[in-house]
Amino acid sequence: MKCRACGAKAAVNMRQHKLALCKPHFLDWIPEQTARFIKKYRMFGPEEKILVAVSGGKDSLSLWDILHRLGYQADGLYLGLGIDEEISYSDESRRLTEQFARQRGLKLHVVDIQAEYGHSIPVIATLTHRGQNRPCSVCGVAKRHEMNRMARDLGYDVLATGHNLDDEAAVLFGNTLSWQSEFLLRQGPVLPEHDGLARKVKPLCRFYEKEMAAYAILRGIEYMYEECPFSVGSTSIYYKELLNRLETDRPGAKLAFYLKFLEARAGGLFIQPEDAPQPMYNCPSCGQPTQYEGKCSFCRMMEKVQPAQ
Ligand code: Q46
Ligand code: ZN
Ligand code: ZN
């Protein structure tokens, strides 16, 4: 297989795009495509300040690397979740993230949940009795809260995450199976800022997971190979496996599923029900926006694990 650009031996063959590229051309192709998606979906401009949520995994570190290569002002945010099961997942992912930032002279903010709030994510999940086997719902609430808090407090214009096509297609598949129209309406490459919630963007949403893995490896990025131990056996991994089976038989099916959805949504397939828009309130405790009057879900959760002041 030869590189389409130069005829040298190809390092990556992307059947889904009918495109094979050598290492240097593949390493240029990924940022070029990313720049195209950033522009196409109007994610952000060159003057805006970006906060990249980095976990130490291949996607988020590659995203940071790409934004840096493209010349954007992109700083990192690492959230220490305190996940320390069979492996010291959080310690190792933090080490790799800090090493990545140090080697490139990039600015990294670190929030350690335990140091900040007194308990790790798994302990908060146990104390609040939320999630028998998995602390994922607690983790999701805490991550959203902390990412928005940091973006707002530190004056960033936009929050970028490393979700790839496999992640997005799995979420879309789950939401479609149960016709979660409210979620379908909001899913996409950009979630605009509103009422104190930072704009969220996913510049890698059109890249297959294997493309991002190839990018990280060929760029020599040292990343956390292990997934979070709590992701084992999750529904989203099951959906990813199903979609991979479809993709094997029909290369490109996963990308088409996602892109056709975006087209259909832009064409008005999903509309906001008339009674849906909720006024945004501000949480009296942390000041972050919340859909309902009273404390936000993060503060209500933390109330249960911390003695009342
Ligand atoms: S939610 Fe759950 Fe993830 Fe948090 S506890 Fe791990 S698997 S990291 S995306
Ligand atoms: Zn080439
Ligand atoms: Zn709050």
Side-chain angles (χ1 to χ4, degrees), residues 164-201:
N164 60 39
L165 176 67
D166 293 46
D167 299 321
E168 292 302 291
V171 170
L172 176 60
F173 188 62
N175 287 340
T176 307
L177 281 182
S178 51
W179 291 112
Q180 298 268 14
S181 58
E182 201 192 320
F183 294 139
L184 289 166
L185 198 60
R186 283 199 318 230
Q187 194 186 347
V190 181
L191 192 59
E193 62 262 58
H194 63 107
D195 306 296
L197 284 176
R199 184 187 338 148
K200 290 190 187 144
V201 298

Side-chain angles (χ1 to χ4, degrees), residues 30-49:
I30 292 276
E32 280 161 18
Q33 293 294 307
T34 311
R36 195 166 74 81
F37 303 149
I38 290 170
K39 213 167 156 201
K40 178 177 171 66
Y41 298 112
R42 299 200 182 100
M43 294 187 185
F44 42 79
E47 69 298 333
E48 291 191 286
K49 276 182 73 191

Side-chain angles (χ1 to χ4, degrees), residues 202-274:
K202 299 170 184 169
L204 306 182
C205 65
R206 288 178 56 160
F207 291 118
Y208 282 72
E209 179 166 3
K210 58 187 176 191
E211 292 165 4
M212 292 322 301
Y215 181 82
I217 292 165
L218 293 175
R219 270 292 279 173
I221 295 172
E222 221 186 311
Y223 64 89
M224 186 77 183
Y225 286 99
E226 284 83 13
E227 299 284 338
C228 172
F230 293 112
S231 68
V232 176
S234 66
T235 315
S236 96
I237 290 192
Y238 174 63
Y239 291 159
K240 282 182 184 177
E241 284 165 4
L242 288 179
L243 290 165
N244 281 341
R245 277 160 60 184
L246 175 68
E247 181 74 25
T248 306
D249 294 337
R250 300 173 59 183
K254 212 186 292 185
L255 183 60
F257 176 50
Y258 182 62
L259 293 184
K260 294 281 173 201
F261 155 71
L262 293 182
E263 259 176 43
R265 202 190 56 162
L269 183 63
F270 304 101
I271 52 161
Q272 186 87 39
E274 275 176 17

Side-chain angles (χ1 to χ4, degrees), residues 81 83 89 121-122 134-140 143 163 227-232 234:
L81 307 170
I83 294 174
Y89 174 78
I121 292 292
R134 271 175 227 286
C136 294
S137 68
V138 166
C139 188
K143 283 197 287 197
H163 293 94
E227 299 284 338
C228 172
F230 293 112
S231 68
V232 176
S234 66

